[in-house]
Amino acid sequence: MSTTKRLATVGILSIGEMGLGVAKLLDAFNFQAVTSLEGRSESTRRRAASASIELVPSDQDLVTRSDYILSIVPPRDALATAKRIVAASAGINRSSPLYYLDLNAISPRSAREMSSLFESTSIRFLDGGIIGPAPQAPSSKDGSWCRPSLVISGPHKLQDAPVSPTAFIDTLNIKQVSSSVGSASGLKMCFASMTKGFTAIAIQSFTTAQKLGVLPELQQHLVEYSPRTGQLAEKGLVGMPPKAYRWVREMEEIADTFHEEGGFDSDMFSGASEIFRMVAEDTELGKEKTESRQRGTDTEDVALLMNEAMQRKRSKRD
């Protein structure tokens, strides 16, 4: 940890895989990351300690200390987290504005609903989303961090923040795409539909191919005729299990986005949500943790466990 004066204090809710990566990136560029212990588990405490994240006892302390708050939680928890911060801010008088960046995978409609919560507060709300994997520390090759794109939108300009805005924007690779709440969330939804949505298709394809006894042949044909598709499918299948529980709601938010904003039926991504729900709740894959993988580390095992779940579902139906 640097002994020099920190550029700004950034509250992070919560410290999952992405939140931890963001905290490590901020620490590396001389920002102080803090998080609230309110309602958090022992594993969260351990992750926070591993990234030089300062622990504060309550949400009120987080609101008082932070110059910026980043909400990085499962989509199902996004609205409740915003309500926590609004409640915690009641009665707190700050000398400078607090910026709240909702970076969760939610629909534009959900973002607008969330924005309305902050209208009676002095907190400046920005709609946002994270596109890409969690930040990764420099390799020995080039010495630069691998950073996702943080897209934001809304009427407040982050450049106007009084505490180290330029360094904050540059460190987190932030791009303001619009002055309208909902635009950044919509961009995130459109992007995720083609990455995580593709993984939902791959789950069905590989599971069905294994049931038919032709999974090796499917893999070989992908190698020969569409190698990039095969690589993306296998990477998505193997990386998906620890995140499937988060993607259940994310697919619902995509369905809402495409219905409300694009005018399409919601059936496709409602179906994708059900696939990830099955992974998370009906298979051993749902027990997986990113830092400790046991099952689903190859596509064959993912397909096997999904077929076992499908067989149990058929047996119950019959």
Side-chain angles (χ1 to χ4, degrees):
M1 181 185 297
S2 172
T3 58
T4 60
K5 180 177 174 59
R6 295 288 184 159
L7 294 174
T9 300
V10 184
I12 301 178
L13 297 170
S14 61
I15 310 301
E17 180 183 359
M18 181 64 74
L20 183 63
V22 168
K24 289 180 177 179
L25 172 62
L26 288 166
D27 180 65
F29 285 83
N30 202 32
F31 289 85
Q32 179 61 62
V34 300
T35 194
S36 168
L37 288 176
E38 199 164 297
R40 306 312 301 167
S41 65
E42 183 58 36
S43 62
T44 296
R45 295 170 186 251
R46 289 195 298 269
R47 284 195 295 270
S50 74
S52 301
I53 302 170
E54 183 180 343
L55 306 176
V56 296
S58 70
D59 291 341
Q60 286 83 359
D61 292 298
L62 190 75
V63 169
T64 301
R65 288 283 312 280
S66 300
D67 300 299
Y68 309 91
I69 290 179
L70 310 180
S71 176
I72 310 172
V73 299
R76 67 189 182 195
D77 300 329
L79 188 60
T81 300
K83 289 179 177 178
R84 277 174 49 193
I85 296 303
V86 169
S89 69
I92 295 178
N93 294 315
R94 295 174 52 94
S95 59
S96 61
L98 170 62
Y99 285 75
Y100 183 94
L101 282 66
D102 179 82
L103 300 176
N104 299 303
I106 60 174
S107 69
R109 180 170 65 172
S110 294
R112 289 189 285 267
E113 178 183 355
M114 188 181 298
S115 177
S116 68
L117 298 174
F118 291 87
E119 290 176 356
S120 61
T121 76
S122 61
I123 298 173
R124 297 183 178 180
F125 173 86
L126 284 164
D127 170 35
I130 302 177
I131 296 176
Q136 294 291 324
S139 68
S140 57
K141 296 179 181 179
D142 59 17
S144 62
W145 276 78
C146 178
R147 316 173 199 223
S149 172
L150 269 63
V151 293
I152 61 171
S153 65
H156 304 294
K157 292 185 180 297
L158 203 54
Q159 293 92 332
D160 295 337
V163 184
S164 304
T166 301
F168 182 67
I169 291 166
D170 291 346
T171 298
L172 292 183
N173 192 26
I174 296 174
K175 304 174 182 70
Q176 188 148 2
V177 298
S178 169
S179 60
S180 300
V181 169
S183 297
S185 287
L187 173 58
K188 165 67 176 179
M189 294 289 91
C190 292
F191 186 92
S193 70
M194 294 190 292
T195 53
K196 297 162 189 174
F198 174 74
T199 298
I201 295 172
I203 292 171
Q204 295 178 85
S205 175
F206 278 57
T207 301
T208 303
Q210 187 182 72
K211 178 69 165 51
L212 292 167
V214 294
L215 180 55
E217 288 76 13
L218 172 62
Q219 292 171 305
Q220 184 56 40
H221 278 78
L222 284 168
V223 168
E224 292 182 17
Y225 294 100
S226 189
R228 183 59 177 154
T229 301
Q231 292 164 7
L232 290 171
E234 299 214 5
K235 181 180 179 181
L237 287 169
V238 171
M240 162 275 305
K243 306 169 187 175
Y245 79 99
R246 299 173 64 104
W247 295 358
V248 175
R249 180 61 177 270
E250 185 166 345
M251 295 301 106
E252 294 173 354
E253 296 288 329
I254 292 173
D256 181 68
T257 300
F258 288 176
H259 180 66
E260 292 292 328
E261 311 296 330
F264 295 98
D265 289 338
S266 57
D267 296 357
M268 179 185 295
F269 284 94
S270 294
S273 175
E274 174 57 22
I275 291 167
F276 290 124
R277 186 210 62 76
M278 181 179 292
V279 172
E281 298 179 10
D282 298 343
T283 77
E284 291 295 308
L285 298 169
K287 300 177 182 178
E288 291 296 297
K289 304 294 182 185
T290 301
E291 63 273 15
S292 178
R293 294 297 305 274
Q294 303 295 326
R295 299 296 304 271
T297 57
D298 58 55
T299 54
E300 291 78 9
D301 197 39
V302 172
L304 172 66
L305 292 171
M306 288 301 296
N307 266 313
E308 290 176 354
M310 294 299 293
Q311 181 57 47
R312 289 191 294 269
K313 183 178 179 180
R314 283 190 289 268
S315 296
K316 288 181 181 179
R317 189 170 58 233
D318 296 341

